Amino acid sequence: MIDKLQMLPQWIWHGDREKTSKVELVKSFMLESTADHIEFRIALTGAVEVELDGNIVGVMEESAANICTFHRILSFPMSLEAGEHTLRLRIICTNIIPVVPINIHLQGRQVGCIAYLKADHYWLCTDESWLANGEQAASICLLGEEPYGDLEEGPEWFVAGGFRDIVASPLECVSLLSVNEAKAQLLNNQVLLSGSGKGNIHIPAPIRNEFHIFYHVRKQTEWRDRNTFIREMNLSSMPVCVLDLDKEYNMRFHLKNRSNTSLTIVWNGAESLQELEHYEGLITETIELEAGGVHTTLPQGLRYFRMYVLADEGYPFELEWQGEEVGVALNQTGSLRTDSALLKQIFDISLHTNRVCHQIGLWDGIKRDRLNWTYDFYLAAKADYVLWDDLAVLRRSIVELGQGTPDGYWMNAIPSYTLWWLNNVWEYYLHTGDKEFVLSIEHDIVRHCRLVESNVDPNTHVLLNVTPTLMEWVPMGPEEGVLGMQALFRITGDNLRKLKSFIPELTELNDWSHPQIEEESFLSGEQLITKLMGIMAGYVSNDEGETFLRSYQIQDPITPLSAYWLAECCSQFGLQEKAWKAISTVWGKMLEEGATTCWESVTLKHERDFHDALTTYTAYNSYRMSLCHSWAGTPVHWILSRVLGITPLEPGYRSIAFRPQKLTGIGTCMGSIPTPFGPIETGWEEGHSEPHILRLPEGIKLAVEA
């Protein structure tokens, strides 16, 4: 029996990577018996000549389309006798994946080849056991990782991904919103669609003649082009159904054509009904299904699903649809039980957002930027620390950006993101006490600290060369952006000092000084985030900070990012009702608009529909805001650390502070929070006058009590 999860193919190449444009990948293998029903499939950068046992059995010309699909070599023998065989792939690559500053962390993945051979009772795939020009092949990246992403025409179990921890499970609450020109049955969240064909249309395949820096950029380009074509064809008279998955998911679906005729399926996916109707970049895919054929799609992020069935005029059809949720299986340890419906809804929506963004990496969103963006997963980690007992996805996100970003480059091409990465290392250690992991990335910590230090004025200690200063989504002038960067620089220096105090082995970490800046510079800033960064960094005094927080009225423009920091600052000063006002207003607005995942941005007052009001531009032909964004799942951290009041004082929760801050009108608020020693359970409930700890695992010291 083949252990599938141990046999996932990897992208491989010669160890010199893009410096070697000609590579011969070789694998000898032994068959103990005759192998039948053989398929050989391959994806790669470049052109390939496939040789088996000294005979050329297939050729692929160089094309950008080669990296999109596991292409079947049709002339590959369908049967092989028992004995030893040698498979040789001669590759010439003249075009490589483009690298620009924003994707510089992928600079080691510009070339690659991934392939598998399957037969009855036999499996062979590319990995580091292959030879590349006579040397051990190098693993370029794992299946599913950027810039290649998911590939078409792989077995459905490839959904596990290169880290082998992604699972697919049936969707639980699918509902049928509409059906036209067909009949639909919904049985156990399986949809049976039947009717009579209204005509078929030839829909051309996507044109794939150039490399893109990211998988999701390629997909969005293809969706836009295909959606434009299909809109022009006007499918309004075709059989169609629209489904609501109840929540947004990274999901895939299985189709089975139970008809005696071939079908063309055109499907759309969207985060909102408005997007489904209006967005030009709508998820738009087509599937050709022969009579009796089956198909499993690649996962995409969506809540609403529309499916057109195209069949020859008058021919009866019957189509079976079954959806699945796709993501890393996580064991939830952090929990909340409360009599406040709104508090529980905000907790649940934040939890769901964080959970579904755990994929190949800790993605910022499951529809649009399916990537490890440093600030996004820094904020997503806030929820990770109080929800899950396994932070493997967060660790690999930290490693990808830390190791992948070369000397002289800011992470994701944004100076603040390198600083947030360094803060992430400290906060990971604070919550886990995982000294071994921190020391395993010591070289990268030091490298990125040196880049920061090389941009500091030795006289004024001002951090230079800080553009682009992405501190917030809301527009801000360059002066405010620079101010925010100086505050972040000071915060980072403080946290690195804490890190070194607990891990003295980090001898190469220097002690940073910070520039002197008057508090009025921050308080006079136009944007909320400027004032908050000044408060968090210590540039704004406690008295002035509290005065501002008491006087501030929540208003547009505000985002989930600044709303979270506002709540944190208010709780820090004991202004818990003001903190709850920030959380309840911003996330409550999302819930009011029907959100099932937390949004990248929010507009409290708007005239247009909410999704159109959120765009960074002005219309549905723009780059759309994400309605599932991991950095907006932070309320769970605020609830468990500020409301229930459990925060670590020493790394790994060896000692904790217990400072619960009750909310007016909430009689019951009980919860648990994970620690390396086991979950802490705490809260308050009606009949008890004061909050109390119900369970404090052995090994944890209660150092500070309310």
Side-chain angles (χ1 to χ4, degrees):
M1 180 68 66
I2 298 171
D3 184 348
K4 292 179 177 179
L5 292 186
Q6 297 299 319
M7 300 295 289
L8 285 159
Q10 301 175 28
W11 287 89
I12 63 172
W13 202 259
H14 186 270
D16 287 341
R17 301 178 187 255
E18 73 279 356
K19 296 178 182 177
T20 298
S21 60
K22 295 182 180 181
V23 63
E24 188 172 271
L25 300 176
V26 180
K27 179 69 175 180
S28 294
F29 58 99
M30 179 68 70
L31 293 177
E32 295 181 359
S33 60
T34 299
D36 294 318
H37 303 108
I38 292 176
E39 283 187 19
F40 179 72
R41 291 183 179 270
I42 185 172
L44 76 158
T45 55
V48 64
E49 183 180 78
V50 181
E51 179 186 291
L52 178 66
D53 298 333
N55 300 311
I56 305 301
V57 295
V59 174
M60 285 175 57
E61 299 297 326
E62 186 165 16
S63 167
N66 290 352
I67 68 166
C68 305
T69 303
F70 283 109
H71 299 270
R72 184 176 182 182
I73 303 299
L74 295 175
S75 51
F76 200 95
M78 296 184 65
S79 179
L80 286 176
E81 297 295 325
E84 185 174 2
H85 300 273
T86 299
L87 182 59
R88 195 179 305 270
L89 309 176
R90 296 190 180 93
I91 301 172
I92 299 177
C93 180
T94 61
N95 292 306
I96 62 177
I97 301 293
V99 165
V100 294
I102 198 170
N103 75 331
I104 194 65
H105 63 286
L106 305 179
Q107 39 87 29
R109 305 178 185 178
Q110 294 179 269
V111 290
C113 172
I114 189 169
Y116 65 89
L117 180 153
K118 71 173 183 177
D120 292 345
H121 311 297
Y122 189 76
W123 179 265
L124 176 71
C125 60
T126 49
D127 58 24
E128 291 175 295
S129 69
W130 286 54
L131 294 178
N133 293 350
E135 304 173 7
Q136 180 180 348
S139 176
I140 298 301
C141 65
L142 301 180
L143 179 65
E145 288 194 290
E146 288 286 351
Y148 305 104
D150 294 327
L151 274 70
E152 299 162 6
E153 302 299 335
E156 59 88 19
W157 54 270
F158 274 19
V159 72
F163 293 98
R164 306 168 183 168
D165 58 357
I166 297 175
V167 298
S169 54
L171 294 175
E172 296 181 353
C173 297
V174 178
S175 60
L176 184 66
L177 292 187
S178 65
V179 59
N180 292 296
E181 301 296 333
K183 294 181 180 180
Q185 289 180 285
L186 185 59
L187 303 172
N188 298 322
N189 296 315
Q190 180 184 75
V191 178
L192 298 177
L193 196 66
S194 60
S196 182
K198 303 295 182 182
N200 213 328
I201 300 171
H202 172 69
I203 300 174
I207 298 173
R208 293 168 169 171
N209 54 15
E210 62 177 309
F211 288 137
H212 294 80
I213 60 174
F214 295 123
Y215 167 79
H216 78 273
V217 172
R218 172 175 69 82
K219 294 299 292 184
Q220 287 165 0
T221 301
E222 293 177 4
W223 292 337
R224 186 179 296 275
D225 292 344
R226 184 168 285 185
N227 193 40
T228 299
F229 176 85
I230 289 171
R231 283 185 175 186
E232 291 174 354
M233 301 304 297
N234 189 4
L235 303 182
S236 60
S237 63
M238 297 295 180
V240 59
C241 71
V242 178
L243 304 177
D244 180 357
L245 310 183
D246 182 58
K247 297 179 182 179
E248 182 164 351
Y249 293 100
N250 193 42
M251 66 86 65
R252 68 175 185 177
F253 59 90
H254 306 277
L255 287 178
K256 182 176 182 180
N257 183 1
R258 296 165 59 169
S259 319
N260 294 320
T261 186
S262 60
L263 304 176
T264 299
I265 311 300
V266 178
W267 71 272
N268 303 121
E271 294 184 304
S272 72
L273 288 173
Q274 292 89 345
E275 183 183 275
L276 190 67
E277 293 302 319
H278 303 296
Y279 183 31
E280 291 185 4
L282 183 66
I283 297 174
T284 306
E285 303 273 5
T286 59
I287 300 166
E288 302 291 336
L289 272 181
E290 296 297 325
V294 296
H295 181 84
T296 301
T297 65
L298 298 174
Q300 301 292 349
L302 57 103
R303 174 181 174 181
Y304 296 98
F305 175 88
R306 181 171 60 203
M307 177 171 61
Y308 296 93
V309 181
L310 280 57
D312 290 341
E313 182 79 32
Y315 277 79
F317 69 82
E318 187 172 2
L319 184 67
E320 179 183 307
W321 179 97
Q322 178 74 54
E324 291 181 320
E325 173 189 1
V326 171
V328 173
L330 297 168
N331 182 35
Q332 183 184 340
T333 304
S335 63
L336 177 71
R337 178 171 61 86
T338 178
D339 61 354
S340 169
L342 181 56
L343 186 67
K344 187 61 165 67
Q345 285 178 315
I346 292 173
F347 182 91
D348 288 345
I349 193 177
S350 302
L351 183 155
H352 180 67
T353 302
N354 183 267
R355 184 172 66 82
V356 299
C357 287
H358 281 76
Q359 301 289 336
I360 284 290
L362 186 43
W363 289 349
D364 62 340
I366 54 174
K367 182 203 74 173
R368 199 194 63 199
D369 300 340
R370 300 154 66 95
L371 295 165
N372 290 323
W373 288 97
T374 315
Y375 195 16
D376 294 76
F377 70 73
Y378 165 80
L379 287 170
K382 299 279 191 182
D384 268 24
Y385 299 136
V386 298
L387 286 175
W388 319 115
D389 64 355
D390 184 356
L391 302 181
V393 180
L394 171 60
R395 284 194 296 274
R396 68 195 188 212
S397 299
I398 292 172
V399 168
E400 181 182 82
L401 268 296
Q403 288 186 355
T405 305
D407 291 342
Y409 288 87
W410 302 111
M411 293 183 191
N412 304 125
I414 303 171
S416 64
Y417 279 31
T418 293
L419 295 176
W420 286 121
W421 184 87
L422 292 168
N423 284 287
N424 209 345
V425 173
W426 158 247
E427 292 192 20
Y428 172 85
Y429 180 60
L430 175 63
H431 285 87
T432 66
D434 188 354
K435 181 177 177 180
E436 181 181 356
F437 174 72
V438 175
L439 290 177
S440 74
I441 60 172
E442 177 183 6
H443 174 70
D444 297 308
I445 296 171
V446 172
R447 284 196 308 112
H448 296 299
C449 283
R450 294 293 176 268
L451 173 62
V452 176
E453 291 162 6
S454 69
N455 286 278
V456 176
D457 185 298
N459 298 314
T460 64
H461 309 297
V462 169
L463 183 61
L464 307 172
N465 305 315
V466 294
T467 54
T469 55
L470 180 56
M471 305 304 298
E472 246 286 30
W473 269 118
V474 297
M476 63 173 57
E479 297 83 3
E480 280 191 77
V482 170
L483 270 179
M485 283 297 298
Q486 305 312 314
L488 178 57
F489 175 53
R490 180 173 177 176
I491 292 169
T492 309
D494 290 343
N495 284 336
L496 288 175
R497 277 188 288 276
K498 296 174 191 174
L499 183 66
K500 188 174 181 179
S501 72
F502 286 105
I503 309 181
E505 293 92 329
L506 298 173
T507 55
E508 294 188 61
L509 291 189
N510 295 327
D511 193 2
W512 295 353
S513 298
H514 57 267
Q516 299 300 311
I517 304 174
E518 295 296 324
E519 65 181 355
E520 183 56 31
S521 299
F522 291 94
L523 292 173
S524 62
E526 181 179 353
Q527 300 301 342
L528 173 61
I529 193 65
T530 305
K531 302 174 178 69
L532 296 176
M533 291 298 291
I535 293 170
M536 291 188 291
Y539 280 115
V540 175
S541 67
N542 287 347
D543 288 345
E544 290 296 328
E546 183 174 346
T547 298
F548 164 72
L549 293 171
R550 286 186 180 278
S551 64
Y552 175 74
Q553 299 299 313
I554 298 169
Q555 58 188 302
D556 291 321
I558 191 169
T559 73
L561 187 154
S562 54
Y564 165 72
W565 288 125
L566 174 62
E568 279 288 299
C569 289
C570 287
S571 292
Q572 177 184 334
F573 284 92
L575 306 175
Q576 191 70 341
E577 297 302 326
K578 193 67 173 280
W580 174 228
K581 180 69 173 177
I583 298 292
S584 61
T585 298
V586 171
W587 279 267
K589 179 63 175 178
M590 299 180 205
L591 289 166
E592 178 186 316
E593 301 278 15
T596 61
T597 45
C598 300
W599 299 350
E600 179 181 23
S601 183
V602 67
T603 303
L604 301 178
K605 295 181 179 180
H606 53 81
E607 295 179 357
R608 306 186 303 276
D609 74 73
F610 75 89
H611 202 170
D612 198 36
L614 293 178
T615 183
T616 44
Y617 301 96
T618 58
Y620 277 98
N621 61 0
S622 67
Y623 193 57
R624 301 299 300 148
M625 278 288 185
S626 164
L627 296 190
C628 174
H629 225 68
S630 62
W631 79 5
T634 47
V636 290
H637 184 269
W638 178 81
I639 292 167
L640 295 179
S641 66
R642 295 296 192 179
V643 180
L644 294 182
I646 299 292
T647 55
L649 294 177
E650 292 184 70
Y653 288 83
R654 289 191 292 271
S655 68
I656 65 167
F658 179 49
R659 299 190 184 97
Q661 299 186 63
K662 297 180 70 172
L663 298 174
T664 301
I666 297 180
T668 300
C669 190
M670 309 291 292
S672 61
I673 186 168
T675 81
F677 300 95
I680 299 172
E681 297 175 10
T682 183
W684 66 86
E685 56 187 333
E686 294 173 318
H688 293 270
S689 59
E690 295 297 332
H692 53 283
I693 292 179
L694 299 174
R695 181 179 185 273
L696 186 67
E698 185 177 347
I700 298 177
K701 177 184 176 183
L702 179 57
V704 179
E705 228 176 328

